[in-house]
Amino acid sequence: MLCKAFSASFVLSILSSVLAAPADGELLRRQSITALTTAQISAFKPFSFFASSAYCNPSTTIKWTCGANCNANPDFIPVASGGDGSSVQFWYVGYSPSQATVIVAHQGTDTSKIEADATDVDAFLESLDSTLFPGISSSVEAHSGFANEQAKTATTILSAVKTAISAHSAKKVTIVGHSLGAAIALLDGVYLPLHISGVSFRVIGYGMPRVGNQAFADYVDAHLSLTHINNKEDIVPIVPGESASSQSQLTRQNPTGRFLGYHHPSGEVHIMDNNQWVSCPGQDNTSTECTVGDVPNIFEGTPNDHHGPYDGGFLLLLTSLSLPAAMAAPASTQPELSLTKRQSITALSAAQISAFKPFTFFASTAYCSPSTTITWSCGGEGVPRDSSQGKPLTCSWAWATTANCAANSDFIPTASGGDGDGTQFWYVGFSPSQRTVIVAHQGTDTSEFLADLTDVDFFLGPLDPTLFPGISSSIEVHSGFRDEQASTAPTILAAVQKTIAAHAAKKVTVTGHSLGAALALLDGVYLPLHISGVAFEVIGYGTPRVGNQDFANYVDAHLSFTHINNKEDPVPILPGRFLGFHHPSGEVHIMDNNQWVSCPGQDNTSSECTVGDVPNIFESDESDHDGPYDGVEMGC
């Protein structure tokens, strides 16, 4: 029996360092991607069980009575064990006669342990402790959470390793771990050789996150035998992100927002979908046969691949992602909800929910081609129009759920544009029934690479003073969203001014889904700076974080904003607050029971609200992003 059943519902920490090469040669020295033989794959199996055993309580590993994991290496002789699985990860040290090596093993992240989770989100680079790592250049930097965790047990493990070497005349030390355990194993692999001579060291990590910067990766390549084994579409190995010296580096080969300065050392072994194991030479190999190429971003990954199987064996993963951009920081005192000014989380009435439905369809319609939104003939069979009146001839609510335009049958379009690639679709017009000008923006279509590229451009920058006159330079926004909004801003402004004049409108509602919601929010800040005498509101669906704290505060003070999040949608928790991003107030969260609740304040951490319900991307459900929102799925 495994020491603890892992939850099928969830997954992963950003941990792991990856295996040391088989005895017949270093995989990392190979110049091309090559398949491992059956014998090479089988040689890793004992170490897979050693890594899995690290999830077992120290009281069992010190006696080697941890069930199937211990039984897989029956001759193992334990020397020491420790950790509480919370403030300190489990670990053990011993000797394997059959493998002729001392074993050091570290536990991965257990999501039931909040302090372990906190370690995962502490994703900042810092120099290694010169006391523990004497002689290491200060330019060699590692994830501060991993470094702090490793430091807690470093001296105790060093003593245990020395005892095991002496007791068994060992000439080799192998350090293993999965997920966070792999990250700690890699740091131990750098640390131990600085204090022990006369033996060789190798590290075998499974599902390992990036641990350090480029100088760290280069140091490992030069001084340590490392193999990091990644299973299929496991997303943990692509986080934290790598560095990008310029935004132009965010290309198809670098699509995950590699902006944090992290790099993998060489030594990857990738288990492909057909279960073939291949060696991937170099650091962060972008071939589609290797992890970075196979999993270009977290949403194309499969969290359940993180725990295995690794040659038929599952590792006891139990984690929450340490991807900093995906984790929400604790909430401080925040402004109250701008939608209702309520002081507590309250359920919306059926009437309040229904009032959003026309705008949900307007947001969904933005996914339709401009050639159909300008004639208001989008969705289903389309709606024939009387060109002399500019109105639909017929419309039936019976088929409105499949026809976006038909759901708002009296809408009068003014302008539309975009190509869905370099520029997102958009349209402007007037809704007599809602008595408002409508501005709607398309969200991200994953088939459109340039739109995807905009989404991963996770850098804060000031707003253009030409477009946003009078706005403080301290107000910063996601530069990709900013640049996309700027590409259509003057055209949309002219269309809105025209529509207001044509219909004597007193209100403008800007709406969108996903990336479209981000653009809508920026338009909601932009348009009032150039148009007076009308009220503005923004209704966003699945809105990512758009700007910094000053931006969120500005929105709260100047704009009516409601952002509706569906169940376990991961998009609203991105980009992360550790990067400086914050949501304004105004959240409405659709819970699993389909009840809609208002969530006061910015980034409310209640479990009834998104940040509390979806603490990290691995506890999310990407399919919730498109809806349904009161029965409406986003898309044309």
Side-chain angles (χ1 to χ4, degrees), residues 230-234 270-278 288-290 294-295 300-302 305 309:
N230 301 329
N231 186 48
K232 301 178 181 177
E233 276 73 48
D234 181 3
H270 184 220
I271 305 172
M272 298 195 297
D273 288 342
N274 63 2
N275 292 313
Q276 184 178 49
W277 293 38
V278 297
T288 56
E289 293 181 281
C290 303
D294 188 32
V295 190
E300 295 187 44
T302 303
D305 285 338

Side-chain angles (χ1 to χ4, degrees), residues 13 15-20 47-55 90-92 103-109 174-186 188 202-209 226-230 306 310 315-317:
S13 67
L15 359 56
S16 125
S17 355
V18 200
L19 287 133
F47 302 102
S48 303
F49 279 110
F50 280 129
S52 188
S53 297
Y55 281 96
F90 294 156
W91 60 269
Y92 67 87
I103 295 292
V104 180
H106 288 277
Q107 175 196 18
T109 304
T174 303
I175 313 157
V176 302
H178 169 248
S179 198
L180 170 58
I184 299 172
L186 181 53
D188 265 1
R202 67 171 178 171
V203 173
I204 300 175
Y206 300 81
M208 181 177 72
L226 165 68
T227 303
H228 42 122
I229 300 175
N230 301 329
H306 185 52
Y310 297 88
L315 297 183
L316 294 176
L317 113 196

Side-chain angles (χ1 to χ4, degrees), residues 362-370 373 417-428 439-452 454-455 481 484-485 488 492 510-521 523 541-542 544 625-626 634-636:
F362 279 128
S364 185
T365 302
Y367 282 93
C368 301
S369 169
T373 53
D419 58 15
D421 193 350
T423 304
Q424 300 302 100
F425 295 154
W426 59 270
Y427 68 88
V428 175
V439 181
H441 288 276
Q442 176 196 16
T444 304
D445 182 343
T446 54
S447 69
E448 302 290 352
F449 170 63
L450 290 179
D452 291 348
T454 302
D455 272 355
F481 301 160
E484 180 72 17
Q485 186 268 345
T488 61
I492 287 176
V510 196
T511 190
H513 167 249
S514 192
L515 170 58
L519 301 178
L521 182 53
D523 265 1
Y541 300 82
H625 185 51
D626 289 337
M634 292 293 171
C636 189

Side-chain angles (χ1 to χ4, degrees), residues 369-446:
S369 169
S371 64
T372 63
T373 53
I374 195 60
T375 56
W376 211 240
S377 56
C378 54
E381 300 171 358
V383 183
R385 306 188 68 82
D386 180 339
S387 60
S388 65
Q389 300 296 320
K391 297 180 180 180
L393 292 173
T394 60
C395 178
S396 169
W397 274 91
W399 57 283
T401 56
T402 59
N404 287 316
C405 289
N408 288 296
S409 59
D410 64 348
F411 183 73
I412 305 169
T414 300
S416 64
D419 58 15
D421 193 350
T423 304
Q424 300 302 100
F425 295 154
W426 59 270
Y427 68 88
V428 175
F430 183 72
S431 170
S433 57
Q434 300 302 318
R435 293 182 295 179
T436 183
V437 174
I438 295 293
V439 181
H441 288 276
Q442 176 196 16
T444 304
D445 182 343
T446 54

Side-chain angles (χ1 to χ4, degrees), residues 13-14 22 87 135 141 220 234 281 356 399 446 467 524 535 585 590 614 626:
S13 67
I14 81 173
S87 61
E141 297 181 325
V220 170
D234 181 3
F356 285 113
W399 57 283
T446 54
L467 294 177
S585 302
I590 305 172
V614 190
D626 289 337

Side-chain angles (χ1 to χ4, degrees), residues 79 115 130 179 214 246 261 285 303 446 509 522 587:
V79 172
E115 289 181 286
S130 59
S179 198
Q214 183 67 70
S246 69
N285 194 309
T446 54
T509 303
L522 288 170
E587 180 189 357

Side-chain angles (χ1 to χ4, degrees), residues 205-226:
Y206 300 81
M208 181 177 72
R210 295 186 178 102
V211 174
N213 65 356
Q214 183 67 70
F216 177 85
D218 293 342
Y219 182 92
V220 170
D221 282 357
H223 295 86
L224 184 63
S225 173
L226 165 68

